[in-house]
Amino acid sequence: MGRGVRGAARAAIWALAVVGLPGAATGQDEGESSSWAFEGEVGTSLYFGASDQTAVLLKGGSEHTSDRLVFGGEGGFEYGEARVLEGEPYVNKRSWTSSLSMDYTPGARVNPFVSVAAEGSYERRIDLRLSGGMGARYRFVRSDAGRLDLSLAALVERTDPRDLPDEADEVETLGRWSARFRARRSMREGGVVFDLVSFYKPAFEEPSEDFTVEVTSSLTFALTRQVGLKLSLADKYDSLAEDRGARDNNDGRLFFSLSAATR
């Protein structure tokens, strides 16, 4: 594992320890909850054999709830290195995400929201992608045992691809639809929590050729009232990634993580 991965892992462990000090376990019922919620996660993915690969995942987020509004923010960073046989290690994954959102009347069955997001991805050849828009969320189920909701939004997106040799850097601005489906189920009195989040984002024009799909599913097993062990599978498909110089349109990873949440 390279110095960059080791340093990121050490920083993440310290951050997770700070986040996990005063709170309650993810997915467990709280007798009294404040208007603030925080969550942190640090994970790793290891492969070995003819091709050694190592990846580190860092994630964090916070949310503030009032009677009428919910403000939320989250960010994530992934870094990976690989080595074939006895060759020198090289970076095969480096991506980051950041987002902010505001929901109105969060307790209603239907509530409007606005959101902005930014991301970059070495493996998908994105130097900077910015998006923002508004939409509405419909809640099918919301209880202590789980949730089920569907969100639809219209976005404006600006993508600055990474430079390619002998090719001009073309910044593209377009409109996208965004559909998000979320499901969560708490089992064994909060000892096991299943989460599923999926996005489908087709372009206004040529939706069958320009679209992204992202699916993240996870199982979290409570270790203490503050910390859980999480197994997560994340898969992203960008239909234009190869056109920007990426090796493949699809990018998936399986992570083992420690997560902590406070409320």
Side-chain angles (χ1 to χ4, degrees), residues 2-263:
R3 293 181 179 177
V5 175
R6 288 196 298 268
R10 285 195 294 267
I13 292 171
W14 278 105
L16 183 64
V18 172
V19 170
L21 284 177
T26 302
Q28 293 187 353
D29 296 340
E30 299 91 355
E32 296 182 359
S33 60
S34 69
S35 59
W36 282 96
F38 301 91
E39 185 171 352
E41 179 181 343
V42 53
T44 184
S45 177
L46 301 174
Y47 299 85
F48 54 89
S51 177
D52 294 336
Q53 299 184 55
T54 304
V56 170
L57 165 70
L58 310 174
K59 292 179 67 177
S62 64
E63 187 176 90
H64 177 64
T65 304
S66 65
D67 293 338
R68 289 288 182 177
L69 298 174
V70 173
F71 294 94
E74 60 182 16
F77 177 73
E78 297 178 19
Y79 180 86
E81 293 182 355
R83 181 175 59 185
V84 179
L85 298 178
E86 299 301 325
E88 291 294 323
Y90 62 91
V91 176
N92 68 341
K93 188 177 188 64
R94 186 174 64 239
S95 61
W96 61 272
T97 59
S98 179
S99 65
L100 294 171
S101 64
M102 181 182 71
D103 290 35
Y104 182 68
T105 60
R109 183 170 291 274
V110 179
N111 68 284
F113 65 88
V114 295
S115 65
V116 293
E119 66 173 318
S121 176
Y122 170 83
E123 59 275 15
R124 291 188 290 136
R125 310 303 296 175
I126 297 173
D127 192 39
L128 178 63
R129 172 174 284 174
L130 301 172
S131 64
M134 60 188 306
R137 176 181 301 106
Y138 182 83
R139 302 180 187 274
F140 298 95
V141 177
R142 183 183 181 183
S143 66
D144 293 338
R147 72 180 180 198
L148 187 68
D149 60 52
L150 176 66
S151 303
L152 299 176
L155 306 175
V156 176
E157 181 184 276
R158 182 183 185 275
T159 300
D160 185 1
R162 297 182 66 88
D163 295 336
L164 292 175
D166 304 324
E167 291 189 19
D169 184 7
E170 297 183 3
V171 177
E172 183 180 22
T173 301
L174 50 77
R176 286 193 187 276
W177 299 111
S178 174
R180 184 185 71 177
F181 176 78
R182 297 191 305 178
R184 171 177 290 180
R185 178 64 177 174
S186 178
M187 299 165 284
R188 297 182 181 179
E189 298 182 351
V192 180
V193 178
F194 169 76
D195 256 308
L196 173 67
V197 180
S198 63
F199 280 94
Y200 172 56
K201 297 180 180 179
F204 287 173
E205 300 180 3
E206 301 180 343
S208 61
E209 298 182 6
D210 184 356
F211 63 92
T212 62
V213 177
E214 181 176 349
V215 179
T216 302
S217 59
S218 66
L219 275 175
T220 303
F221 303 89
L223 300 179
T224 69
R225 297 189 67 252
Q226 300 174 347
V227 179
L229 176 64
K230 178 184 286 189
L231 174 64
S232 58
L233 175 64
D235 191 20
K236 297 180 181 179
Y237 183 88
D238 188 329
S239 63
L240 299 182
E242 291 184 3
D243 293 343
R244 294 191 298 268
R247 295 183 179 181
D248 199 290
N249 287 337
N250 196 67
D251 177 41
R253 188 77 63 173
L254 179 67
F255 282 101
F256 296 90
S257 310
L258 286 177
S259 63
T262 66
R263 292 184 181 275

